[in-house]
Amino acid sequence: MSDYLSKPCTAFSGTKQFAAGSLVDVALAIKAAEGEGREAPVLVFDDASGSVMDLDLRGTTADIVVRLGERGKRETPAGRPRTASDTDAEPRGRGRPKLGVVAREVTLLPRHWEWLSAQPGGASQALRRLVDEARRSDGGQTQAKAAREAAYRFLNALAGDLPGYEDAIRSLFAGEAQDFADRMKAWPSDVRRHALKLATGQGLLGAP
């Protein structure tokens, strides 16, 4: 299964969780439940970003799977870098294996290239070391910010009319975890639980 088809997602019908799992499983669960007369439309959320996903569920199960697979191929260059796993089926020449290394354009001034070229291992290894050092010194701030934004996107789409919404959002972005949870106590349990999951970074790829 491709990375796109296995993307973790959660579907809500109104404020009640309808399905959760890989994108393809959630999409097919929604398709299978067509005609059940749900009062509220089903929204599908990307667990990594909290964004609503627009799915085309026309046709048969096979049609849906093929369409999702084609969409994943189109979104690979824009959504994430191509890695060795994307090219497993491509012919391999001689030389060192790719080991997941991704080639992308980097634009720097001449003095930057001169400094990088003079570093042990050359420019590529120096850039990798710099990135790794920046990630270590970040202290998780980038991931925490992404988690808060994911929770906000989810709540903005689904909880805007719930009592205390604005206060909850202020607590979210202030990093006041307990206050954020307290302000959602009167909310539907599924909404509150999923918001807390996203806010703690559990929806992010690679998060604990």
PDB file of all heavy atoms in Angstrom, residues 149-172:
ATOM      1  N   GLU A 149      -1.334  23.709  15.434  1.00  0.00           N
ATOM      2  CA  GLU A 149      -1.991  24.135  14.198  1.00  0.00           C
ATOM      3  C   GLU A 149      -2.917  23.047  13.661  1.00  0.00           C
ATOM      4  O   GLU A 149      -3.985  23.337  13.128  1.00  0.00           O
ATOM      5  CB  GLU A 149      -0.938  24.520  13.161  1.00  0.00           C
ATOM      6  CG  GLU A 149      -0.202  25.805  13.520  1.00  0.00           C
ATOM      7  CD  GLU A 149       0.899  26.150  12.543  1.00  0.00           C
ATOM      8  OE1 GLU A 149       1.242  25.282  11.696  1.00  0.00           O
ATOM      9  OE2 GLU A 149       1.430  27.269  12.618  1.00  0.00           O
ATOM     10  N   ALA A 150      -2.510  21.780  13.811  1.00  0.00           N
ATOM     11  CA  ALA A 150      -3.372  20.679  13.379  1.00  0.00           C
ATOM     12  C   ALA A 150      -4.654  20.653  14.206  1.00  0.00           C
ATOM     13  O   ALA A 150      -5.757  20.482  13.663  1.00  0.00           O
ATOM     14  CB  ALA A 150      -2.629  19.355  13.497  1.00  0.00           C
ATOM     15  N   ALA A 151      -4.526  20.815  15.517  1.00  0.00           N
ATOM     16  CA  ALA A 151      -5.709  20.841  16.387  1.00  0.00           C
ATOM     17  C   ALA A 151      -6.604  22.021  16.031  1.00  0.00           C
ATOM     18  O   ALA A 151      -7.843  21.896  16.018  1.00  0.00           O
ATOM     19  CB  ALA A 151      -5.278  20.914  17.848  1.00  0.00           C
ATOM     20  N   TYR A 152      -5.997  23.161  15.730  1.00  0.00           N
ATOM     21  CA  TYR A 152      -6.784  24.337  15.365  1.00  0.00           C
ATOM     22  C   TYR A 152      -7.571  24.096  14.081  1.00  0.00           C
ATOM     23  O   TYR A 152      -8.760  24.444  13.990  1.00  0.00           O
ATOM     24  CB  TYR A 152      -5.878  25.557  15.206  1.00  0.00           C
ATOM     25  CG  TYR A 152      -6.595  26.721  14.565  1.00  0.00           C
ATOM     26  CD1 TYR A 152      -7.554  27.442  15.269  1.00  0.00           C
ATOM     27  CD2 TYR A 152      -6.341  27.068  13.237  1.00  0.00           C
ATOM     28  CE1 TYR A 152      -8.243  28.486  14.680  1.00  0.00           C
ATOM     29  CE2 TYR A 152      -7.027  28.113  12.643  1.00  0.00           C
ATOM     30  CZ  TYR A 152      -7.972  28.821  13.363  1.00  0.00           C
ATOM     31  OH  TYR A 152      -8.656  29.845  12.760  1.00  0.00           O
ATOM     32  N   ARG A 153      -6.929  23.521  13.062  1.00  0.00           N
ATOM     33  CA  ARG A 153      -7.624  23.281  11.791  1.00  0.00           C
ATOM     34  C   ARG A 153      -8.819  22.362  12.006  1.00  0.00           C
ATOM     35  O   ARG A 153      -9.902  22.588  11.449  1.00  0.00           O
ATOM     36  CB  ARG A 153      -6.667  22.680  10.768  1.00  0.00           C
ATOM     37  CG  ARG A 153      -5.545  23.610  10.323  1.00  0.00           C
ATOM     38  CD  ARG A 153      -4.753  23.005   9.178  1.00  0.00           C
ATOM     39  NE  ARG A 153      -3.530  23.773   8.934  1.00  0.00           N
ATOM     40  CZ  ARG A 153      -2.331  23.416   9.357  1.00  0.00           C
ATOM     41  NH1 ARG A 153      -2.186  22.293  10.049  1.00  0.00           N
ATOM     42  NH2 ARG A 153      -1.284  24.169   9.104  1.00  0.00           N
ATOM     43  N   PHE A 154      -8.618  21.323  12.798  1.00  0.00           N
ATOM     44  CA  PHE A 154      -9.714  20.398  13.085  1.00  0.00           C
ATOM     45  C   PHE A 154     -10.856  21.104  13.805  1.00  0.00           C
ATOM     46  O   PHE A 154     -12.026  21.004  13.404  1.00  0.00           O
ATOM     47  CB  PHE A 154      -9.177  19.237  13.921  1.00  0.00           C
ATOM     48  CG  PHE A 154     -10.250  18.397  14.557  1.00  0.00           C
ATOM     49  CD1 PHE A 154     -11.072  17.592  13.789  1.00  0.00           C
ATOM     50  CD2 PHE A 154     -10.436  18.414  15.944  1.00  0.00           C
ATOM     51  CE1 PHE A 154     -12.071  16.813  14.378  1.00  0.00           C
ATOM     52  CE2 PHE A 154     -11.421  17.647  16.531  1.00  0.00           C
ATOM     53  CZ  PHE A 154     -12.245  16.847  15.754  1.00  0.00           C
ATOM     54  N   LEU A 155     -10.528  21.838  14.853  1.00  0.00           N
ATOM     55  CA  LEU A 155     -11.565  22.514  15.636  1.00  0.00           C
ATOM     56  C   LEU A 155     -12.236  23.625  14.850  1.00  0.00           C
ATOM     57  O   LEU A 155     -13.447  23.839  14.984  1.00  0.00           O
ATOM     58  CB  LEU A 155     -10.959  23.069  16.925  1.00  0.00           C
ATOM     59  CG  LEU A 155     -10.499  22.016  17.943  1.00  0.00           C
ATOM     60  CD1 LEU A 155      -9.816  22.680  19.127  1.00  0.00           C
ATOM     61  CD2 LEU A 155     -11.682  21.168  18.414  1.00  0.00           C
ATOM     62  N   ASN A 156     -11.491  24.312  14.023  1.00  0.00           N
ATOM     63  CA  ASN A 156     -12.066  25.381  13.222  1.00  0.00           C
ATOM     64  C   ASN A 156     -13.118  24.842  12.258  1.00  0.00           C
ATOM     65  O   ASN A 156     -14.126  25.504  11.983  1.00  0.00           O
ATOM     66  CB  ASN A 156     -10.961  26.097  12.437  1.00  0.00           C
ATOM     67  CG  ASN A 156     -11.470  27.322  11.720  1.00  0.00           C
ATOM     68  OD1 ASN A 156     -12.075  28.206  12.311  1.00  0.00           O
ATOM     69  ND2 ASN A 156     -11.237  27.376  10.416  1.00  0.00           N
ATOM     70  N   ALA A 157     -12.894  23.632  11.768  1.00  0.00           N
ATOM     71  CA  ALA A 157     -13.839  23.027  10.829  1.00  0.00           C
ATOM     72  C   ALA A 157     -15.050  22.427  11.519  1.00  0.00           C
ATOM     73  O   ALA A 157     -16.141  22.384  10.945  1.00  0.00           O
ATOM     74  CB  ALA A 157     -13.130  21.942  10.017  1.00  0.00           C
ATOM     75  N   LEU A 158     -14.873  21.980  12.767  1.00  0.00           N
ATOM     76  CA  LEU A 158     -15.924  21.176  13.391  1.00  0.00           C
ATOM     77  C   LEU A 158     -16.513  21.769  14.662  1.00  0.00           C
ATOM     78  O   LEU A 158     -17.649  21.452  15.015  1.00  0.00           O
ATOM     79  CB  LEU A 158     -15.359  19.780  13.717  1.00  0.00           C
ATOM     80  CG  LEU A 158     -16.355  18.636  13.820  1.00  0.00           C
ATOM     81  CD1 LEU A 158     -17.103  18.459  12.506  1.00  0.00           C
ATOM     82  CD2 LEU A 158     -15.621  17.346  14.171  1.00  0.00           C
ATOM     83  N   ALA A 159     -15.767  22.608  15.363  1.00  0.00           N
ATOM     84  CA  ALA A 159     -16.198  23.015  16.707  1.00  0.00           C
ATOM     85  C   ALA A 159     -16.435  24.514  16.844  1.00  0.00           C
ATOM     86  O   ALA A 159     -16.596  25.006  17.963  1.00  0.00           O
ATOM     87  CB  ALA A 159     -15.151  22.569  17.736  1.00  0.00           C
ATOM     88  N   GLY A 160     -16.482  25.222  15.749  1.00  0.00           N
ATOM     89  CA  GLY A 160     -16.612  26.676  15.823  1.00  0.00           C
ATOM     90  C   GLY A 160     -17.856  27.165  16.538  1.00  0.00           C
ATOM     91  O   GLY A 160     -17.855  28.271  17.100  1.00  0.00           O
ATOM     92  N   ASP A 161     -18.908  26.353  16.553  1.00  0.00           N
ATOM     93  CA  ASP A 161     -20.164  26.758  17.201  1.00  0.00           C
ATOM     94  C   ASP A 161     -20.305  26.217  18.623  1.00  0.00           C
ATOM     95  O   ASP A 161     -21.323  26.481  19.282  1.00  0.00           O
ATOM     96  CB  ASP A 161     -21.359  26.277  16.366  1.00  0.00           C
ATOM     97  CG  ASP A 161     -21.440  26.964  15.015  1.00  0.00           C
ATOM     98  OD1 ASP A 161     -20.975  28.116  14.915  1.00  0.00           O
ATOM     99  OD2 ASP A 161     -21.947  26.341  14.058  1.00  0.00           O
ATOM    100  N   LEU A 162     -19.325  25.492  19.091  1.00  0.00           N
ATOM    101  CA  LEU A 162     -19.421  24.929  20.442  1.00  0.00           C
ATOM    102  C   LEU A 162     -19.107  25.992  21.497  1.00  0.00           C
ATOM    103  O   LEU A 162     -18.322  26.913  21.237  1.00  0.00           O
ATOM    104  CB  LEU A 162     -18.458  23.745  20.581  1.00  0.00           C
ATOM    105  CG  LEU A 162     -18.782  22.530  19.709  1.00  0.00           C
ATOM    106  CD1 LEU A 162     -17.733  21.437  19.883  1.00  0.00           C
ATOM    107  CD2 LEU A 162     -20.171  21.979  20.036  1.00  0.00           C
ATOM    108  N   PRO A 163     -19.691  25.880  22.681  1.00  0.00           N
ATOM    109  CA  PRO A 163     -19.488  26.890  23.717  1.00  0.00           C
ATOM    110  C   PRO A 163     -18.031  26.966  24.180  1.00  0.00           C
ATOM    111  O   PRO A 163     -17.380  25.942  24.385  1.00  0.00           O
ATOM    112  CB  PRO A 163     -20.392  26.423  24.867  1.00  0.00           C
ATOM    113  CG  PRO A 163     -20.592  24.963  24.616  1.00  0.00           C
ATOM    114  CD  PRO A 163     -20.599  24.795  23.133  1.00  0.00           C
ATOM    115  N   GLY A 164     -17.521  28.199  24.288  1.00  0.00           N
ATOM    116  CA  GLY A 164     -16.160  28.390  24.764  1.00  0.00           C
ATOM    117  C   GLY A 164     -15.096  28.116  23.720  1.00  0.00           C
ATOM    118  O   GLY A 164     -13.912  27.972  24.059  1.00  0.00           O
ATOM    119  N   TYR A 165     -15.511  28.064  22.447  1.00  0.00           N
ATOM    120  CA  TYR A 165     -14.553  27.739  21.376  1.00  0.00           C
ATOM    121  C   TYR A 165     -13.374  28.715  21.345  1.00  0.00           C
ATOM    122  O   TYR A 165     -12.210  28.301  21.319  1.00  0.00           O
ATOM    123  CB  TYR A 165     -15.281  27.753  20.036  1.00  0.00           C
ATOM    124  CG  TYR A 165     -14.359  27.744  18.839  1.00  0.00           C
ATOM    125  CD1 TYR A 165     -13.738  26.573  18.427  1.00  0.00           C
ATOM    126  CD2 TYR A 165     -14.094  28.919  18.132  1.00  0.00           C
ATOM    127  CE1 TYR A 165     -12.881  26.565  17.338  1.00  0.00           C
ATOM    128  CE2 TYR A 165     -13.241  28.926  17.045  1.00  0.00           C
ATOM    129  CZ  TYR A 165     -12.636  27.739  16.651  1.00  0.00           C
ATOM    130  OH  TYR A 165     -11.781  27.747  15.571  1.00  0.00           O
ATOM    131  N   GLU A 166     -13.659  30.000  21.352  1.00  0.00           N
ATOM    132  CA  GLU A 166     -12.578  30.990  21.250  1.00  0.00           C
ATOM    133  C   GLU A 166     -11.634  30.918  22.444  1.00  0.00           C
ATOM    134  O   GLU A 166     -10.411  31.048  22.286  1.00  0.00           O
ATOM    135  CB  GLU A 166     -13.171  32.389  21.115  1.00  0.00           C
ATOM    136  CG  GLU A 166     -13.910  32.601  19.798  1.00  0.00           C
ATOM    137  CD  GLU A 166     -14.416  34.019  19.643  1.00  0.00           C
ATOM    138  OE1 GLU A 166     -14.225  34.820  20.589  1.00  0.00           O
ATOM    139  OE2 GLU A 166     -15.001  34.328  18.594  1.00  0.00           O
ATOM    140  N   ASP A 167     -12.174  30.708  23.641  1.00  0.00           N
ATOM    141  CA  ASP A 167     -11.310  30.579  24.824  1.00  0.00           C
ATOM    142  C   ASP A 167     -10.435  29.338  24.724  1.00  0.00           C
ATOM    143  O   ASP A 167      -9.261  29.355  25.112  1.00  0.00           O
ATOM    144  CB  ASP A 167     -12.167  30.504  26.098  1.00  0.00           C
ATOM    145  CG  ASP A 167     -12.833  31.827  26.418  1.00  0.00           C
ATOM    146  OD1 ASP A 167     -12.287  32.866  25.999  1.00  0.00           O
ATOM    147  OD2 ASP A 167     -13.879  31.813  27.080  1.00  0.00           O
ATOM    148  N   ALA A 168     -11.008  28.255  24.196  1.00  0.00           N
ATOM    149  CA  ALA A 168     -10.236  27.023  24.034  1.00  0.00           C
ATOM    150  C   ALA A 168      -9.092  27.235  23.049  1.00  0.00           C
ATOM    151  O   ALA A 168      -7.966  26.772  23.279  1.00  0.00           O
ATOM    152  CB  ALA A 168     -11.143  25.888  23.549  1.00  0.00           C
ATOM    153  N   ILE A 169      -9.350  27.949  21.969  1.00  0.00           N
ATOM    154  CA  ILE A 169      -8.313  28.204  20.965  1.00  0.00           C
ATOM    155  C   ILE A 169      -7.209  29.086  21.546  1.00  0.00           C
ATOM    156  O   ILE A 169      -6.017  28.858  21.290  1.00  0.00           O
ATOM    157  CB  ILE A 169      -8.915  28.862  19.715  1.00  0.00           C
ATOM    158  CG1 ILE A 169      -9.889  27.900  19.025  1.00  0.00           C
ATOM    159  CG2 ILE A 169      -7.823  29.289  18.749  1.00  0.00           C
ATOM    160  CD1 ILE A 169      -9.257  26.591  18.578  1.00  0.00           C
ATOM    161  N   ARG A 170      -7.593  30.063  22.355  1.00  0.00           N
ATOM    162  CA  ARG A 170      -6.564  30.909  22.988  1.00  0.00           C
ATOM    163  C   ARG A 170      -5.676  30.074  23.908  1.00  0.00           C
ATOM    164  O   ARG A 170      -4.453  30.243  23.932  1.00  0.00           O
ATOM    165  CB  ARG A 170      -7.233  32.047  23.770  1.00  0.00           C
ATOM    166  CG  ARG A 170      -7.642  33.230  22.899  1.00  0.00           C
ATOM    167  CD  ARG A 170      -7.992  34.434  23.743  1.00  0.00           C
ATOM    168  NE  ARG A 170      -9.279  34.267  24.390  1.00  0.00           N
ATOM    169  CZ  ARG A 170     -10.443  34.661  23.847  1.00  0.00           C
ATOM    170  NH1 ARG A 170     -10.455  35.235  22.667  1.00  0.00           N
ATOM    171  NH2 ARG A 170     -11.573  34.481  24.500  1.00  0.00           N
ATOM    172  N   SER A 171      -6.287  29.169  24.657  1.00  0.00           N
ATOM    173  CA  SER A 171      -5.501  28.303  25.541  1.00  0.00           C
ATOM    174  C   SER A 171      -4.601  27.375  24.733  1.00  0.00           C
ATOM    175  O   SER A 171      -3.452  27.110  25.117  1.00  0.00           O
ATOM    176  CB  SER A 171      -6.431  27.464  26.425  1.00  0.00           C
ATOM    177  OG  SER A 171      -7.189  28.286  27.284  1.00  0.00           O
ATOM    178  N   LEU A 172      -5.106  26.899  23.612  1.00  0.00           N
ATOM    179  CA  LEU A 172      -4.326  26.018  22.750  1.00  0.00           C
ATOM    180  C   LEU A 172      -3.041  26.692  22.297  1.00  0.00           C
ATOM    181  O   LEU A 172      -1.943  26.140  22.446  1.00  0.00           O
ATOM    182  CB  LEU A 172      -5.169  25.614  21.536  1.00  0.00           C
ATOM    183  CG  LEU A 172      -4.443  24.869  20.405  1.00  0.00           C
ATOM    184  CD1 LEU A 172      -3.990  23.495  20.883  1.00  0.00           C
ATOM    185  CD2 LEU A 172      -5.361  24.746  19.190  1.00  0.00           C
TER     186      LEU A 172
END
